[in-house]
Amino acid sequence: MPITKVLIANRGEIACRVIRSCKALGIKTVAVYSEADAKSLHVASADQAVAIGPPPAKQSYLVIDNILKAAKDTGADAIHPGYGFLAENSDFAKAVAHAGMVWIGPTPETIDDMGDKERARLLAKAAGVPVLPGSGRFVPGDPDGLEAAGQTVGFPLLVKAAAGGGGIGMRRVDNPGDLKAVVDSTQALAEKAFGDGSIYLEKLIEKARHIEIQVFGFGDGRGVHMFERECSIQRRYQKIVEESRAPNLPLETLSKMAESAVALVRQERYRGAGTIEFVVDAVTGNYYFLEMNTRIQVEHPVTEAITGLDLVGLQIKLAGGDALREVTQEKIAATGHAVELRIYAENPAKNFMPSPGPLKTFRLPPAGEGLRVDTGVREGDQISFHYDPMIAKMIAHGPNRLAAIDRMLKALDGTTIDGVATNIAFLKKLLSHPAFRAGDCWTGFIPAHAAELLQG
């Protein structure tokens, strides 16, 4: 049965983004909001809006019962989770289905499989995807075999939360003598953040690139990719610049990565949009499975810019029963180059500390040829300390990489934000840096060039 009304279980720019695709498909929308978001853009953009609780996410956006009640009271027949919050919560996906509504996303079983990072590694290996040397699971209070596992994996290594994501619960260890203390602290953090203190060890690639493949599965064993995204420019393990296509990587390597990603999608009979992330050794060129995100990504507009596809629209169509037979690998083509920046209310000079406050002035360049702007705020809105401090995303598209970068620089010059500290000046320096313009992308780029990027 076709979907007629979608409740978006999220806020901010991703809620606004989903609303746009729904409107393009002629589908009604329902926004949910906390008390802090009562006058927000996503509330004003939806056909209906329902309050779901106080500002803290644990009392609003993460309360499944409140969201389901809002959906039932408004007659929504489907729920889109966006990213973050409950997007990769299998209990939420099950509850939506149990309530007789359509879950716009992969199956709960897939969410569980890929949400457990150790299990995901094993499934990737079964699909023939290269996987980094790593250990089995270690639960809190059970250190048996930890030292031996560390020696087998080799130092330096990463201690990673089995249920982690977004850079949370990931710590580097250079020496065997530090392993036990780092494991204990990571397990405590993981227990607090995810309710699961399990960790595993994984070999650390010293000079690494973070490349992800956008995939789409149809739930029946078919799957396609929409090329790769370069996501190596990060601060505190979180991405701030993404682009496609990835610079200075052989097309043969990129093709093999894409084939590996699609093999996993087919094996798992994956349904909907997803992203398979790889770490690439910048020295050897070898690539290894990192994780799979079973949701739409923050950086999905990069892929939309080069392919012309509406990924959110495809998610909704598939969930509504459209088999999407017309979406084949042969018909998916990449044109030009796209770069996405995340503009944050933060202070780069103070370790990128969030800077909540009012947007006294908020002027972005108009979207147009080669420039897209995604935001969930307006002038006068408050950047709340309760949520992620991202203000907007800018996506620049051009015939080649340097043209896209220069278009982005021009867009940043046309941006004025007052009332909060932002990373705009930092982003301008980054885009103008000779090493970045030459395509020398790796996860240590910002620390390596901190003196130049953070001065003044």
Side-chain angles (χ1 to χ4, degrees):
M1 180 179 293
I3 293 171
T4 61
K5 185 182 287 188
V6 173
L7 180 142
I8 301 99
N10 219 296
R11 65 177 299 279
E13 67 87 15
I14 186 58
C16 293
R17 167 70 189 89
V18 176
I19 289 169
R20 288 200 303 274
S21 282
C22 287
K23 286 186 175 180
L25 293 170
I27 296 172
K28 297 291 185 181
T29 56
V30 180
V32 293
Y33 62 93
S34 72
E35 292 170 4
D37 285 336
K39 297 181 180 179
S40 67
L41 182 58
H42 80 278
V43 170
S45 302
D47 295 297
Q48 293 173 268
V50 181
I52 54 170
K58 287 185 178 179
Q59 299 175 46
S60 51
Y61 295 107
L62 293 173
V63 182
I64 292 175
D65 288 344
N66 290 4
I67 294 172
L68 291 179
K69 184 178 186 303
K72 291 175 183 176
D73 289 349
T74 56
D77 49 15
I79 291 181
H80 193 300
Y83 56 71
F85 292 140
L86 295 168
E88 293 176 287
N89 185 309
S90 62
D91 289 337
F92 184 39
K94 291 173 187 174
V96 170
H98 184 52
M101 289 175 278
V102 175
W103 167 254
I104 303 175
T107 65
E109 294 75 20
T110 301
I111 294 173
D112 281 336
D113 282 345
M114 294 301 153
D116 185 312
K117 306 308 179 188
E118 184 200 1
R119 193 187 315 168
R121 283 166 48 87
L122 295 174
L123 291 169
K125 195 171 183 179
V129 182
V131 175
L132 278 168
S135 73
R137 181 190 305 262
F138 290 92
V139 298
D142 183 18
D144 290 348
L146 179 64
E147 187 176 320
Q151 293 294 342
T152 299
V153 172
F155 294 86
L157 57 76
L158 287 173
V159 177
K160 302 180 76 171
I168 301 172
M170 182 160 59
R171 295 277 304 278
R172 173 178 175 144
V173 183
D174 290 293
N175 305 300
D178 298 330
L179 181 60
K180 177 64 166 57
V182 173
V183 165
D184 288 345
S185 63
T186 306
Q187 287 178 326
L189 175 62
E191 182 65 41
K192 183 178 179 180
F194 311 113
D196 181 352
S198 302
I199 61 93
Y200 65 96
L201 311 181
E202 188 175 80
K203 179 66 178 173
L204 174 68
I205 302 296
E206 287 278 33
K207 188 168 185 180
R209 293 180 66 172
H210 187 160
I211 306 292
E212 60 188 30
I213 306 293
Q214 176 68 57
V215 293
F216 201 96
F218 304 95
D220 56 6
R222 292 180 297 138
V224 295
H225 71 83
M226 285 105 168
F227 306 101
E228 79 289 340
R229 294 187 289 258
E230 166 69 74
C231 301
S232 299
I233 306 299
Q234 306 175 1
R235 51 98 168 103
R236 297 182 311 193
Y237 293 115
Q238 292 186 315
K239 310 160 190 170
I240 53 174
V241 179
E242 299 95 2
E243 57 183 305
S244 189
R245 305 201 63 191
N248 298 338
L249 272 179
L251 284 177
E252 181 181 2
T253 300
L254 295 173
S255 295
K256 286 181 178 178
M257 261 193 286
E259 290 168 6
S260 294
V262 172
L264 181 57
V265 167
R266 290 173 176 163
Q267 172 185 279
E268 298 304 304
R269 301 177 73 82
Y270 188 80
R271 185 183 73 196
T275 303
I276 298 180
E277 306 197 3
F278 293 94
V279 58
V280 179
D281 189 323
V283 177
T284 67
N286 294 330
Y287 67 91
Y288 307 93
F289 174 82
L290 188 60
E291 64 181 3
M292 182 176 193
N293 294 306
T294 53
R295 53 173 165 78
I296 199 76
Q297 292 274 89
V298 180
E299 58 271 22
H300 76 275
V302 172
T303 297
E304 293 183 329
I306 65 165
T307 62
L309 296 169
D310 178 350
L311 286 170
V312 174
L314 291 177
Q315 284 184 300
I316 296 168
K317 287 180 180 180
L318 183 71
D322 188 332
L324 299 176
R325 293 286 176 185
E326 73 280 8
V327 182
T328 62
Q329 195 65 66
E330 296 73 24
K331 292 182 180 178
I332 300 171
T335 302
H337 193 96
V339 178
E340 175 178 305
L341 297 183
R342 305 186 193 187
I343 298 176
Y344 282 101
E346 64 182 15
N347 190 335
K350 294 185 177 180
N351 195 30
F352 300 93
M353 183 182 295
S355 174
L359 291 172
K360 295 178 181 178
T361 306
F362 182 51
R363 296 174 192 152
L364 298 173
E369 185 179 356
L371 182 67
R372 168 175 165 179
V373 180
D374 284 13
T375 186
V377 294
R378 298 163 293 189
E379 188 167 282
D381 285 353
Q382 188 87 9
I383 302 299
S384 173
F385 66 87
H386 290 292
Y387 314 117
D388 184 87
M390 187 169 69
I391 300 172
K393 302 184 308 195
M394 283 188 185
I395 304 92
H397 182 246
N400 55 60
R401 185 171 185 265
L402 289 180
I405 291 171
D406 289 340
R407 179 166 281 163
M408 183 69 81
L409 281 166
K410 184 178 180 181
L412 289 174
D413 285 338
T415 300
T416 303
I417 301 175
D418 291 321
V420 297
T422 75
N423 62 341
I424 290 177
F426 169 80
L427 292 171
K428 288 181 182 179
K429 290 177 183 177
L430 197 158
L431 292 186
S432 302
H433 196 286
F436 177 80
R437 293 179 71 85
D440 182 24
C441 299
W442 59 296
T443 55
F445 185 95
I446 290 176
H449 299 286
E452 304 144 86
L453 298 174
L454 298 173
Q455 66 182 359

